[in-house]
Amino acid sequence: MTSEHTPQQVLHETATALPAEDVAAVHAYAGAFCGRPGTAAELAGEVLAGQRAPAARPALLADVRRTAFGWLRDSRSGLLLRTFRDWAQRAGETFGTTDTLRLVEHDAPLLRAFGELPDQSRAALWLCLAEGEPAFAARVLNTSQEFAESMAESARSRLADTFLRLRAEHTADARCVHYGGMLGAIARGTHRETPADLEQHLETCEFCARDIALLRTLTSGGTQELRPLLVDRLLVWGGPAYRAARPGAPDTAAHVITSSTPSAPNVPSA
């Protein structure tokens, strides 16, 4: 028996009737790729028409990105914004022209960490903290708003832990691996002082300096910092435009660490 504090294992919305909130989000994100409202509506319509099973908001938005990337390969390429086309070209030069977007997504450690969270944790984290829609999250997860927000905070902590693990597994520099756990402790405030050797390392290592800034925002940052971090990093492309188009988003200025492709320095953000 499911109580209000035990979310169901599968999101309860049906594929044939996506919530209006999700449909609006798809249209908003489609606008980040297209210069004209009519074209954005066409892109959003293609994504929505292709839904054959219940889908959480992050998955729907990923479909928008992947569908737009698919347009680059046909006659609709010219309908997409020049900035997106230029970014995609640079991505191809960095990662190769075969399966480019998948490789870009794989090279984004926070996105990969997010993908390792359970479905419900991803939904709670995105809807409550990235979108600021706790009431909708509660409806989607079939629980109370209070519990949905609690799930989001737990997911936030797990996201930081998973990010640190993936960082250690895919970092070639032994010094960066050595300091990884300490970065997390300092970001959480459980390690009060930064050792002198780590301070020296942070002065010369852009990789670790960037990651400790990310971890501080992820573990203890307020909404004005956290929302840009989550949206811009997890969407890979078009985060600032998406935030600007969404109802709860006066924070259109990107935070210093919200690069669209954080681990791909040769593919600048939009």
Side-chain angles (χ1 to χ4, degrees):
M1 181 175 179
T2 302
S3 72
E4 70 169 1
H5 295 300
T6 308
Q8 295 180 4
Q9 295 301 308
V10 180
L11 302 185
H12 70 283
E13 299 290 356
T14 65
T16 56
L18 285 173
E21 295 89 341
D22 284 343
V23 173
V26 167
H27 279 271
Y29 192 34
F33 296 88
C34 306
R36 297 180 178 179
T39 307
E42 181 182 348
L43 175 59
E46 182 173 330
V47 171
L48 295 169
Q51 299 306 312
R52 295 291 181 266
R57 177 86 53 86
L60 288 169
L61 298 179
D63 281 348
V64 175
R65 180 174 64 248
R66 291 163 188 165
T67 301
F69 212 87
W71 280 21
L72 293 169
R73 297 190 293 270
D74 62 33
S75 60
R76 294 172 292 185
S77 177
L79 300 176
L80 299 166
L81 288 171
R82 168 67 66 181
T83 49
F84 173 61
R85 285 182 281 149
D86 289 346
W87 175 83
Q89 181 178 350
R90 291 192 295 272
E93 293 169 354
T94 301
F95 295 97
T97 56
T98 302
D99 214 8
T100 307
L101 183 58
R102 186 189 66 79
L103 294 174
V104 170
E105 292 172 344
H106 182 77
D107 202 49
L110 193 66
L111 177 60
R112 289 176 55 212
F114 182 70
E116 291 197 12
L117 297 177
D119 291 347
Q120 293 180 329
S121 294
R122 289 201 303 271
L125 176 67
W126 182 265
L127 294 173
C128 292
L129 300 180
E131 299 270 23
E133 298 180 41
F136 179 61
R139 177 159 66 90
V140 168
L141 295 167
N142 196 28
T143 187
S144 67
Q145 181 172 323
E146 179 182 12
F147 193 66
E149 291 173 325
S150 175
M151 288 178 66
E153 288 299 326
S154 295
R156 178 178 180 174
S157 179
R158 291 182 66 179
L159 182 63
D161 291 340
T162 306
F163 173 82
L164 279 168
R165 175 176 59 77
L166 291 176
R167 180 186 189 275
E169 291 176 0
H170 299 279
T171 301
D173 193 321
R175 295 172 303 167
C176 298
V177 174
H178 171 72
Y179 288 120
M182 194 175 295
L183 293 181
I186 292 171
R188 287 186 171 89
T190 57
H191 200 299
R192 295 188 177 184
E193 296 184 1
T194 305
D197 59 333
L198 176 55
E199 285 188 350
Q200 184 177 7
H201 178 71
L202 290 173
E203 289 176 359
T204 58
C205 180
E206 181 180 351
F207 175 68
C208 287
R210 182 196 65 201
D211 282 356
I212 194 171
L214 181 153
L215 286 162
R216 280 175 171 148
T217 298
L218 187 57
T219 56
S220 58
T223 302
Q224 292 296 106
E225 294 177 296
L226 182 62
R227 186 170 190 269
L229 171 66
L230 292 174
V231 174
D232 294 8
R233 292 287 186 116
L234 298 181
L235 288 185
V236 179
W237 162 267
Y242 178 73
R243 286 189 283 113
R246 298 294 288 147
D251 54 341
T252 55
H255 190 268
V256 66
I257 58 171
T258 58
S259 155
S260 286
T261 50
S263 58
N266 293 325
V267 187
S269 63

